[in-house]
Amino acid sequence: LLVNTDQGIVPAQILETLRIVMNGRAYKVITAQDGVKEIYLNRQFVIRPDANAMININFAEAKTIPTMSVTDLMTKDIDLTNKIIIVGLNAAGLSTLKDTPLGLMTDMQISVQAMDTIATKTSLQRDSNINLLEIGITSFLLLILLVIVPRLNVFWTAGILFLSVGSVTYASWHMYSKMFTLVDASWPILILSITWAHLAFNNFAVQSRLRQQIKKQFEHYLAPDMVAKLQKDPALLKLGGETRTMTFMFSDIRGFTPISEKYKGNPAGLTKLINRFLTRMTDIIISNGGTIDKFMGDCIMAFWNAPLDMKDHANRAVKSAVEMQKELKQLNKELKKEKLPEINIGIGINTGEALVGNMGSEQRFDYSVIGDDVNLASRLESSSKELGSTLVIGEKTKIKTQGYKYKSLGTIKVKGKSEKIKVYTI
């Protein structure tokens, strides 16, 4: 029998000593295909080593094993009846000290620990099934982490990790202290920790990319505080598209062709003028919570109630139109002083359902809206010149707003609609 001390093999004389003490006549060894199963020292006392006939010492506290010098044995009356005595040298330089869980020990002390382990039947077991148990438990806990971590907040997943690690640690300690079975908790803990860290980092990276995507996509179309809300809670944004009741605005410069002719030889000057106009109008729309859909030359397309919910989206759109007209008067005063052409606009506003989300191809897309009520808002803007009114508002918008006095512009027939449409202005 070989006794595993981690630092060497305890001599087989230990087993022979125990056999003699127990009056065993011979050894009986029972083997199987996977190695040694049992070793009998006598008919009653059986040792169950591992498949390689190795026994792991279960080190007892050193104080339970008395130590005395040979001088004491020879000069004092010490009763050695029914005692097993290990004799050896322990003076410095005359013995080799080896590391154990209880510190440095001599070969004699390790031999005593081995005898104690065998005699008390407390050897630490680790059979072939333990490997399967460790793999099974680790795989189960890994599966839980893989399913839960991507779906929960990092603080909750950290709690789950600590619970898993704590459970593995406790189970390992319980099997060691109560069942004398060795279960290696180190590599399950290491694997679980690395997996959790990797998944948590992936979550962070995905969220970071999503926030950057939201900022890049909306920073030029929404107010900064609205972009911050979307970044903080991306769930507010349904990128796949959804149907909403919204308010839409189209604003276009009237008589743009004559203005562009005046800048025929100065395209940079025309660009500067248009940008100057668009900047002021855009600031008003964004300050009222609107989303700039796109700029089409001198035309602005905007909408309210997406991507963030706004109960008063119709009111915000009308308020923006009123402020845009006031701001345009101020801009025209400045242009007149600078001897630049003045600007006139037409604004169309309508409320209704539309599909909002990322529209376009797989290579290039924009956050936009499509729907019949969107088209009607564009038609209302186009009719502003014939109606002689800067602002033309659809009936659905009028119904959903409060605090404004409306004037009826009658009914009009627009392209694509068979019935006539009631229109209003402020």
Side-chain angles (χ1 to χ4, degrees), residues 133-383:
L133 177 65
E134 292 173 352
I135 293 172
I137 292 176
T138 303
S139 300
F140 175 72
L141 294 176
L142 277 177
L143 182 62
I144 292 177
L145 289 181
L146 290 171
V147 172
I148 292 179
V149 173
R151 292 168 171 79
L152 293 180
N153 183 281
V154 65
F155 296 106
W156 287 104
T157 60
I160 294 173
L161 173 68
F162 288 131
L163 180 63
S164 301
V165 169
S167 299
V168 170
T169 304
Y170 174 78
S172 176
W173 170 255
H174 177 79
M175 295 188 73
Y176 162 72
S177 61
K178 302 298 182 182
M179 303 170 65
F180 307 112
T181 300
L182 292 177
V183 177
D184 185 4
S186 60
W187 75 270
I189 291 174
L190 180 63
I191 291 177
L192 290 173
S193 300
I194 292 175
T195 302
W196 175 85
H198 179 68
L199 292 172
F201 176 79
N202 281 351
N203 279 359
F204 173 79
V206 169
Q207 291 296 321
S208 179
R209 285 196 298 268
L210 180 57
R211 289 186 174 92
Q212 290 301 317
Q213 177 186 350
I214 290 173
K215 181 179 180 182
K216 182 179 180 181
Q217 190 166 10
F218 290 101
E219 63 182 346
H220 298 298
Y221 310 118
L222 291 174
D225 58 333
M226 295 181 69
V227 176
K229 286 182 181 179
L230 286 176
Q231 285 186 295
K232 188 175 182 180
D233 186 7
L236 295 172
L237 179 63
K238 294 184 179 179
L239 292 175
E242 59 177 326
T243 300
R244 281 176 175 250
T245 298
M246 305 166 62
T247 299
F248 320 99
M249 172 194 283
F250 284 82
S251 174
D252 197 5
I253 295 178
R254 289 185 192 164
F256 181 70
T257 302
I259 294 176
S260 61
E261 287 180 354
K262 293 181 180 180
Y263 285 90
K264 193 172 184 180
N266 183 18
L270 178 61
T271 301
K272 184 177 180 181
L273 176 66
I274 297 302
N275 288 344
R276 187 174 174 182
F277 161 76
L278 292 176
T279 297
R280 295 202 181 188
M281 300 300 108
T282 300
D283 289 342
I284 292 172
I285 293 172
I286 289 179
S287 66
N288 285 297
T291 301
I292 302 296
D293 186 307
K294 59 178 67 72
F295 297 105
M296 297 169 285
D298 58 317
C299 177
I300 303 174
M301 177 182 174
F303 53 80
W304 282 259
N305 201 32
L308 298 180
D309 293 330
M310 295 178 184
K311 294 182 179 180
D312 58 341
H313 53 89
N315 264 74
R316 288 172 178 258
V318 175
K319 180 174 181 289
S320 297
V322 172
E323 292 178 0
M324 288 167 66
Q325 294 177 81
K326 292 180 180 179
E327 184 64 26
L328 182 61
K329 289 180 180 180
Q330 181 62 37
L331 176 60
N332 281 331
K333 288 180 181 180
E334 297 174 9
L335 295 176
K336 188 175 182 180
K337 290 180 181 179
E338 299 172 19
K339 297 181 180 181
L340 296 174
E342 296 182 23
I343 296 175
N344 294 313
I345 62 172
I347 302 174
I349 297 177
N350 188 46
T351 300
E353 286 193 347
L355 180 67
V356 58
N358 280 330
M359 310 291 177
S361 67
E362 293 183 357
Q363 294 81 15
R364 183 178 177 83
F365 54 84
D366 288 312
Y367 190 75
S368 185
V369 291
I370 56 174
D372 184 59
D373 286 304
V374 181
N375 297 334
L376 180 56
S378 177
R379 298 286 186 265
L380 294 181
E381 184 278 319
S382 300
S383 66

Side-chain angles (χ1 to χ4, degrees), residues 39-60:
I39 299 175
Y40 285 84
L41 299 184
N42 58 32
R43 292 184 177 181
Q44 289 79 32
F45 195 89
V46 61
I47 301 172
R48 293 183 174 85
D50 65 13
N52 296 315
M54 303 287 282
I55 289 180
N56 292 302
I57 298 175
N58 191 354
F59 283 86

